[in-house]
Amino acid sequence: LVRSARGKEVGTMKGKKVWDKLPRRLVPAGATIVDTRWLDNNKAGPGMTPDVRSRMVAREFATELRDDLFVGTPCLEAIKMLMSIVASSGGGRIPKKKLMAMDVKRAFLHAPMTREVYITLPEEAQIGDTEPMVGRLRKAMYGTRDAPQNWQMHVTAILKQMGFTAGKANPCIFQHGGRDLQVSVHVDDFLCVGVRDHLDWLRQQLGKHFDSTSSILGPGSGEEKSIKYLNRIIEWTTSGLTYQHDPKHVTTILNELGMAECSGVNTPGAKDVAQEDDDVPLAVKEAIAMRRIIATVNYIAQDRLDIGYAVKECAR
């Protein structure tokens, strides 16, 4: 299964013309050849038929600080801003606008490489070769330091050609004045707002450039009542739009702590009782679990203001 998944990945790379092959001996003197590795993952759950996926990534390490490689992301409030635009679009009645979540497949591989980079090629990509070969990248391969930046420049150029204007406060928020569309781009995840016809137009236009999956949230035929965006769940209900973090994080934490059957409390915390400092240092395994759980609840707290105080105390 792994061998088959790796072969399929190499086929995808060749199809998208990610690199040009050339003999290793022809690489210019002094040029760096970046190593690559395989990331193999079984997407299937326990007891299910294995679904092995393989991804080939470059291993270009950050050996020097590069302020020029910065790439922006939209703030979390952008999701709520777009939801507010939808909710208020009906003048107090059923909203006219809808939300569309779009996920671009293998986003970085669509963006042109902006510098000369050579990579090692795995055995699966050198079948039939008579001498050692390397790849000169044509596309922004995963693992190269400027891949996110190249992708953002690429998608920004495409949106501007379509008539969008990038935000001044955040370049990842776009507005199309003529069609009254708003788009938030978080790497390969798009969240779009507009009336159905304009969302269909946007999906069609972007489909000319990317392979993607998309879902439109709304009350109409063929529209979803619940979508996921950046691990947040947005639902269209009879009383309005709802938004919450992915509840699987809470379930995972409660199960790990053996608290799945415990009752909740109405207070954010309890006053600590003064006692002697007789704490015993945690074992390594327990310390790792503590850090993992606190990092997770700290992430959840962005969407759960009611647990902010308790999370702060845990983090202390």
Side-chain angles (χ1 to χ4, degrees):
L1 292 175
V2 172
R3 189 179 297 112
S4 174
R6 290 182 177 184
K8 184 177 180 180
E9 173 75 351
V10 170
T12 298
M13 293 282 192
K14 291 180 178 179
K16 293 185 176 296
K17 300 180 180 179
V18 175
W19 61 68
D20 290 324
K21 287 177 71 173
L22 73 158
R24 192 181 185 100
R25 57 183 170 80
L26 296 182
V27 175
T32 300
I33 301 177
V34 178
D35 193 16
T36 57
R37 64 166 296 185
W38 284 108
L39 297 179
D40 304 308
N41 185 28
N42 181 13
K43 293 284 189 178
M48 300 174 63
T49 302
D51 181 17
V52 178
R53 309 285 181 87
S54 295
R55 173 166 288 182
M56 179 183 166
V57 299
R59 303 177 67 191
E60 187 175 19
F61 298 106
T63 56
E64 59 178 333
L65 294 176
R66 293 281 304 276
D67 293 338
D68 59 309
L69 295 182
F70 171 80
V71 59
T73 55
C75 57
L76 186 60
E77 285 75 16
I79 301 177
K80 300 174 183 178
M81 177 189 73
L82 296 183
M83 289 178 62
S84 177
I85 292 175
V86 173
S88 59
S89 64
R93 299 178 181 274
I94 298 176
K96 296 179 180 179
K97 295 185 176 182
K98 297 167 184 180
L99 279 167
M100 180 173 70
M102 178 177 290
D103 180 18
V104 177
K105 299 178 181 178
R106 302 178 182 273
F108 292 174
L109 302 186
H110 292 90
M113 201 68 185
T114 56
R115 60 193 172 96
E116 192 164 281
V117 177
Y118 297 88
I119 60 168
T120 61
L121 294 175
E123 295 178 4
E124 293 84 355
Q126 298 192 67
I127 297 175
D129 293 338
T130 58
E131 62 176 306
M133 305 290 283
V134 299
R136 180 170 53 209
L137 290 182
R138 299 177 60 182
K139 300 294 179 62
M141 187 175 179
Y142 291 96
T144 53
R145 293 188 64 188
D146 51 352
Q149 186 183 73
N150 290 339
W151 161 249
Q152 188 176 76
M153 291 190 299
H154 182 59
V155 72
T156 297
I158 289 174
L159 287 172
K160 286 185 176 180
Q161 290 174 5
M162 293 169 56
F164 282 89
T165 301
K168 294 182 179 180
N170 191 305
C172 304
I173 307 296
F174 298 87
Q175 165 81 22
H176 194 295
R179 294 182 179 269
D180 194 17
L181 285 165
Q182 293 80 33
V183 178
S184 173
V185 181
H186 190 285
V187 192
D188 57 356
D189 290 303
F190 291 54
L191 189 63
C192 320
V193 167
V195 297
R196 178 62 190 261
D197 289 347
H198 291 170
L199 290 178
D200 288 337
W201 171 85
L202 176 61
R203 180 162 50 185
Q204 182 183 31
Q205 293 300 311
L206 291 177
K208 298 177 181 178
H209 303 276
F210 316 127
D211 298 322
S212 64
T213 57
S214 60
S215 300
I216 292 180
L217 184 74
S221 175
E223 297 172 347
E224 304 293 334
K225 302 301 178 289
S226 177
I227 60 174
K228 288 187 69 173
Y229 180 74
L230 301 180
N231 286 326
R232 273 83 180 179
I233 299 175
I234 306 174
E235 295 183 314
W236 188 292
T237 71
T238 55
S239 58
L241 294 173
T242 65
Y243 161 96
Q244 65 170 320
H245 62 83
D246 192 335
K248 73 178 182 182
H249 297 304
V250 174
T251 302
T252 300
I253 292 172
L254 293 178
N255 288 333
E256 187 168 358
L257 294 175
M259 300 176 63
E261 304 300 325
C262 292
S263 300
V265 295
N266 295 323
T267 56
K271 187 174 182 180
D272 198 10
V273 179
Q275 57 185 1
E276 295 183 11
D277 188 10
D278 57 356
D279 288 344
V280 178
L282 292 174
V284 174
K285 186 176 181 180
E286 293 173 326
I288 292 174
M290 181 197 73
R291 287 193 289 268
R292 180 176 63 252
I293 291 172
I294 291 177
T296 303
V297 294
N298 191 41
Y299 172 76
I300 295 172
Q302 297 178 95
D303 302 310
R304 284 282 303 275
L305 302 183
D306 58 314
I307 65 172
Y309 174 81
V311 171
K312 182 265 295 183
E313 290 296 301
C314 290
R316 289 180 63 191

